[in-house]
Amino acid sequence: MARARTGVRALGAVLAAVLGATLVGCSSTGGKRAEDARKAAQNARGKAAVTTPRWTFAMVTHSGDGDTFWDIVQNGAEEAAAKDNIDFLYAHSDEGQQQAQLVDSYISKKVDALIVTLAKPDAMKGAVAKARKAGIPVITVNSGSEQSKAFGALTHIGQDESVAGEAVGEELDVRGKKKALCVLHEQGNVGHEQRCAGAAKTFGGRMQNLYVDGTNMPDVQASVEAKLQADRSIDAVVTLGAPFADAAVQARKSAGSEAEIDTFDLNSKVAAGLEDGSLGFAVDQQPYLQGYEAVDLLWLYKYNADVLGGGRPVLTGPQIITRKDAAELAEYTDRGTR
């Protein structure tokens, strides 16, 4: 028993040292990466003996290039990995088949656990099944709460996209909006469809979907601008990701529209936009928490066979963020954790 307490005290010293090192100097463009986290962990281990196993966890998401939302997810995962004595690997593709191939490559490397997103569940079903057959525990994050349990994942961490969409529709009603544009930036993403459908369900006005190429920001801006010019009755634009909110703001200016711009997700630009009034509200699903908790829960499962959720998703949102909340959150968005 004395040995166990000594191990706990030593581990506590590691955690305190790592957290102190890793929370300094993060930026809104993604902050430090895995290498910095590993160095912090190594420095901490030099001061106190680590008594927990060294495992390798991999995360594969459906992120496209340049999406700052996933930088925040990574920040959370990397900091939890440093705390938990984990080697953390990350890869992404917004193409479902390529995402599945990346999962296959990590299975071949015999990683100890996997974190995946299920934005395109049909493409990912076989890869998740292969991981489970290989004895690799899987947690899903962000997308795929409906398929997660059926695919054999331990749990799902994220927000219910339909519920999040419904919250948007209700907020638009509170603000007295009558006609809204829902901007979908990734074709085939079931979560995006659920957000817009949820908003349309509770919104008392009319909701119209607009599909754009999220990998081409000038195209996003031009498409929104054209829609606002063609229909002056649109009084709200809802984007499904923080990077697209700024493009919608620019489109509004160019179109001479007075439509309110609202968005899913939060970053430093969105926080600033909320504070200066160029954005109305944001829906935060706490991506840092999704990455952090996924790594932490896999560690707990490997170390102690713990599982959270009771067979249901572990929800990290939605939370409606408005101008009154922006100043308080600025510190966290600037360091890349909100």
Side-chain angles (χ1 to χ4, degrees):
M1 198 63 182
R3 180 180 299 173
R5 291 196 185 97
T6 301
V8 170
R9 285 196 295 270
L11 179 58
V14 173
L15 304 192
V18 170
L19 285 175
T22 56
L23 290 179
V24 175
C26 295
S27 74
S28 61
T29 57
K32 56 156 199 53
R33 280 287 170 262
E35 185 60 30
D36 294 326
R38 283 194 290 270
K39 287 179 180 178
Q42 289 167 357
N43 291 336
R45 287 196 296 274
K47 299 176 182 177
V50 173
T51 60
T52 56
R54 184 72 168 172
W55 289 310
T56 298
F57 294 175
M59 175 184 280
V60 184
T61 75
H62 64 275
S63 170
D65 292 333
D67 191 336
T68 56
F69 176 91
W70 293 102
D71 291 339
I72 302 172
V73 175
Q74 277 185 264
N75 282 343
E78 288 164 0
E79 290 183 11
K83 173 181 71 71
D84 292 339
N85 192 32
I86 297 298
D87 277 324
F88 179 73
L89 307 174
Y90 178 82
H92 67 92
S93 174
D94 56 3
E95 296 293 334
Q97 292 301 326
Q98 291 181 15
Q99 186 189 3
Q101 289 169 9
L102 290 168
V103 172
D104 287 343
S105 72
Y106 283 136
I107 294 171
S108 297
K109 292 179 181 178
K110 298 182 179 179
V111 297
D112 297 293
L114 275 163
I115 303 161
V116 302
T117 61
L118 301 178
K120 296 168 182 173
D122 290 343
M124 289 293 293
K125 184 176 182 179
V128 175
K130 186 176 179 180
R132 298 299 298 121
K133 186 175 181 180
I136 300 173
V138 178
I139 281 181
T140 61
V141 298
N142 182 261
S143 302
S145 59
E146 293 83 359
Q147 296 85 10
S148 179
K149 185 176 181 180
F151 284 12
L154 297 175
T155 193
H156 177 82
I157 303 171
Q159 71 181 3
D160 184 300
E161 302 292 18
S162 295
V163 171
E166 290 170 13
V168 168
E170 292 166 357
E171 183 68 18
L172 291 173
D173 279 343
V174 169
R175 292 165 176 267
K177 303 306 177 184
K178 302 301 181 185
K179 191 170 186 180
L181 193 65
C182 195
V183 184
L184 298 94
H185 62 266
E186 185 181 332
Q187 294 273 3
N189 186 321
V190 295
H192 289 184
E193 297 286 350
Q194 289 167 345
R195 289 179 182 182
C196 292
K201 179 181 177 181
T202 56
F203 182 38
R206 182 183 172 192
M207 177 74 67
Q208 182 178 3
N209 288 356
L210 175 66
Y211 293 88
V212 298
D213 180 3
T215 64
N216 184 343
M217 206 59 78
D219 175 74
V220 174
Q221 182 175 329
S223 298
V224 175
E225 180 182 337
K227 204 69 178 175
L228 292 176
Q229 286 177 334
D231 189 349
R232 295 292 177 179
S233 66
I234 295 173
D235 56 8
V237 176
V238 180
T239 63
L240 302 188
F244 307 97
D246 187 57
V249 169
Q250 299 307 315
R252 176 183 60 191
K253 290 179 181 177
S254 300
S257 169
E258 295 183 359
E260 177 179 284
I261 309 300
D262 306 306
T263 190
F264 281 80
D265 303 332
L266 187 68
N267 63 14
S268 58
K269 272 195 171 183
V270 169
L274 292 172
E275 194 162 12
D276 66 24
S278 59
L279 296 177
F281 67 89
V283 185
D284 186 21
Q285 60 174 303
Q286 302 184 101
Y288 177 90
L289 193 59
Q290 292 177 13
Y292 192 98
E293 287 301 315
V295 170
D296 234 16
L297 292 185
L298 281 171
W299 183 89
L300 286 167
Y301 178 77
K302 294 283 292 181
Y303 186 73
N304 204 46
D306 290 315
V307 179
L308 286 184
R312 297 186 179 183
V314 177
L315 299 182
T316 63
Q319 180 183 10
I320 299 294
I321 305 295
T322 63
R323 188 172 191 170
K324 65 181 176 60
D325 308 302
E328 180 183 357
L329 293 175
E331 173 187 353
Y332 311 123
T333 57
D334 284 346
R335 76 182 184 190
T337 58
R338 285 297 291 268

